[in-house]
């Protein structure tokens, strides 16, 4: 596993973004792990998060695209942090863009903030965790309404690797339905591989009991 992936897993633990216990997902599934990106709360955390996104984007897409689009609201700081990191780490100047929830009718009018999107632009979408496709379904019409653009991919922080609407993973369903390339900074399989029975800062995050709970969850909901 790449070094930046290992660092990112530990970073999520440190920020309490990645937690283990008893939780219920938005879809009603009882899960032994939870990813809450709302716990990235400081400038230092956002800077580091942007760097991990930048490395994942470089690995999957390179920088042969023009605009990084972050759907409101969580995608707004993500796209700013990632494009800043791309500039700092790789010297590439990628434009950032997000949508507003409400159309602005004065000043800088319209539904977009950041860079405009124009004919011929190649766009990558950035989000927090794997979705069931609802956000993509809302986001694509906004982007494509701006002109003849090519939406080439989606990057998320964590691939939960569970079923979407059918038997395949949510990311695989998005790839098939919308023709996008998708990637994640890490998958839950990589998280388990890195943390199982390994002491980190004086404690074992995933012991055998938690590993069994995660395995049982994937028996029921895994892709």
């Amino acid at each position: 596993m790449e070094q930046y992936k290992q660092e990112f897993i530990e970073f999520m633990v440190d920020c309490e973004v990645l937690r283990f216990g008893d939780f219920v997902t938005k879809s009603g599934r009882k899960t032994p792990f939870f990813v809450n990106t709302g716990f990235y709360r400081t400038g230092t955390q956002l800077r580091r998060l942007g760097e991990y996104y930048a490395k994942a984007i470089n690995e999957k897409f390179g920088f042969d695209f023009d605009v990084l689009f972050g759907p409101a609201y969580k995608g707004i700081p993500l796209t700013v942090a990632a494009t800043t990191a791309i500039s700092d780490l790789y010297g590439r100047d990628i434009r950032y863009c997000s949508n507003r929830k409400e159309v602005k009718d004065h000043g800088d009018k319209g539904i977009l903030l950041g860079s405009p999107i124009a004919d011929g632009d190649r766009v990558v979408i950035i989000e927090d965790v794997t979705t069931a496709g609802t956000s993509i379904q809302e986001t694509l019409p906004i982007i494509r309404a701006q002109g003849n653009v090519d939406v080439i991919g989606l990057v998320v922080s964590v691939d939960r690797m569970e079923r979407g609407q059918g038997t395949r993973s949510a990311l695989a369903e998005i790839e098939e339905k919308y023709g996008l390339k998708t990637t994640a900074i890490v998958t839950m399989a990589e998280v388990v591989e890195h943390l199982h029975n390994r002491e980190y800062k004086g404690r074992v995050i995933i012991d055998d009991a938690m590993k069994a709970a995660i395995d049982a969850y994937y028996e029921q909901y895994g892709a």
Side-chain angles (χ1 to χ4, degrees):
M1 189 190 314
E2 294 88 337
Q3 182 68 30
Y4 81 87
K5 290 176 178 281
Q6 299 177 39
E7 292 175 2
F8 179 63
I9 293 166
E10 294 169 4
F11 172 65
M12 286 194 292
V13 172
D14 290 341
C15 295
E16 298 185 342
V17 166
L18 175 63
R19 302 172 70 185
F20 297 89
D22 294 308
F23 307 96
V24 178
T25 67
K26 189 181 295 185
S27 60
R29 296 173 178 175
K30 292 183 179 180
T31 174
F33 59 91
F34 197 73
V35 180
N36 184 357
T37 57
F39 276 81
Y40 295 122
R41 292 174 172 171
T42 72
T44 298
Q45 289 171 348
L46 283 177
R47 177 182 56 78
R48 288 188 62 188
L49 178 61
E51 290 173 354
Y52 294 125
Y53 267 112
K55 290 174 182 179
I57 290 168
N58 180 47
E59 188 173 292
K60 180 70 175 186
F61 303 107
F63 299 113
D64 189 24
F65 66 97
D66 306 291
V67 179
L68 188 64
F69 187 93
Y73 289 102
K74 286 187 177 180
I76 296 173
L78 297 182
T79 188
V80 174
T83 51
T84 300
I86 289 169
S87 174
D88 289 344
L89 295 178
Y90 301 101
R92 301 296 296 269
D93 209 16
I94 301 295
R95 290 144 49 203
Y96 78 89
C97 181
S98 295
N99 64 297
R100 295 183 171 96
K101 289 289 188 179
E102 303 82 19
V103 177
K104 188 178 178 186
D105 61 2
H106 63 281
D108 181 18
K109 296 181 180 180
I111 197 169
L112 301 183
L113 55 87
S115 171
I117 299 175
D119 286 349
D121 279 341
R122 296 154 300 172
V123 180
V124 171
I125 300 170
I126 184 171
E127 290 196 346
D128 51 357
V129 294
T130 310
T131 68
T134 305
S135 177
I136 291 294
Q137 189 174 352
E138 296 171 351
T139 301
L140 283 176
I142 295 171
I143 297 173
R144 288 172 173 162
Q146 309 308 310
N148 182 22
V149 301
D150 183 14
V151 184
I152 63 176
L154 166 69
V155 56
V156 299
S157 61
V158 180
D159 180 0
R160 287 181 60 97
M161 299 179 65
E162 58 191 79
R163 293 196 308 272
Q165 302 300 314
T167 59
R168 306 183 69 196
S169 73
L171 281 185
E173 288 180 350
I174 289 169
E175 286 192 346
E176 182 177 12
K177 184 173 182 179
Y178 300 105
L180 307 181
K181 293 194 296 184
T182 65
T183 194
I185 302 174
V186 293
T187 67
M188 276 306 300
E190 290 170 328
V191 170
V192 173
E193 175 190 338
H194 185 61
L195 293 179
H196 180 218
N197 277 345
R198 176 177 173 270
E199 188 173 296
Y200 177 65
K201 292 188 174 179
R203 64 191 180 105
V204 174
I205 309 296
I206 300 179
D207 58 14
D208 287 337
M210 179 54 64
K211 174 66 161 53
I214 294 170
D215 289 345
Y217 181 77
Y218 281 115
E219 285 278 334
Q220 186 172 6
Y221 297 115

